[in-house]
Amino acid sequence: VAMQIAASPTVDFVKSEDINEEVKEAERQAEMKSEDLEGKPEDIKVKMVEGRLGKILKQKVLLEQPYIRDPSMTVGDLVKGYISTLGENIQVARFIRYNLGETGSSDEPAE
């Protein structure tokens, strides 16, 4: 799972339930301003934007991403497989990504 997070810089959330409405609305507004939607009827725009929004948000959710070592399964499927194999209740609650050269706090002066 750590390799998945490291290999996927777009991952921001563990589950789709973790995405708040503000993030969804910001993505929705950005897609509505897309040039290829100009001149289309409003109801068609809404349907196209909702479809695109689903794809964009799926890329940001860890458990819904295709697993990097076996793209035929998702990370959620991998976790469920280990739950059944080990008989333990495994849950991914949160994660933190560290990038080389970044500090842990933005209050610290850069060296």
Side-chain angles (χ1 to χ4, degrees):
V1 175
M3 287 190 316
Q4 180 77 28
I5 294 167
S8 306
T10 60
V11 174
D12 293 326
F13 306 99
V14 176
K15 302 178 280 199
S16 55
E17 296 85 32
D18 295 343
I19 304 174
N20 60 24
E21 285 300 317
E22 294 155 1
V23 172
K24 289 180 183 178
E25 190 57 36
E27 291 288 344
R28 188 175 288 120
Q29 292 302 322
E31 281 299 316
M32 282 299 260
K33 294 176 183 173
S34 177
E35 291 180 12
D36 62 334
L37 295 177
E38 291 179 14
K40 296 199 187 283
E42 191 64 31
D43 59 331
I44 301 295
K45 276 186 186 181
V46 171
K47 288 180 183 179
M48 289 177 72
V49 166
E50 289 303 316
R52 291 178 184 178
L53 185 65
K55 290 178 184 176
I56 291 169
L57 295 179
K58 192 173 184 179
Q59 292 175 352
K60 293 181 178 252
V61 177
L62 175 66
L63 296 179
E64 293 180 11
Q65 284 198 330
Y67 181 49
I68 58 172
R69 296 180 88 189
D70 183 3
S72 66
M73 63 190 304
T74 65
V75 176
D77 295 337
L78 174 76
V79 172
K80 288 176 188 173
Y82 275 105
I83 289 172
S84 65
T85 302
L86 300 173
E88 294 290 328
N89 185 14
I90 303 169
Q91 294 183 357
V92 180
R94 64 182 177 272
F95 64 88
I96 297 175
R97 180 183 300 107
Y98 294 103
N99 293 323
L100 188 63
E102 290 184 359
T103 60
S105 173
S106 61
D107 297 337
E108 297 176 17
E111 294 182 21

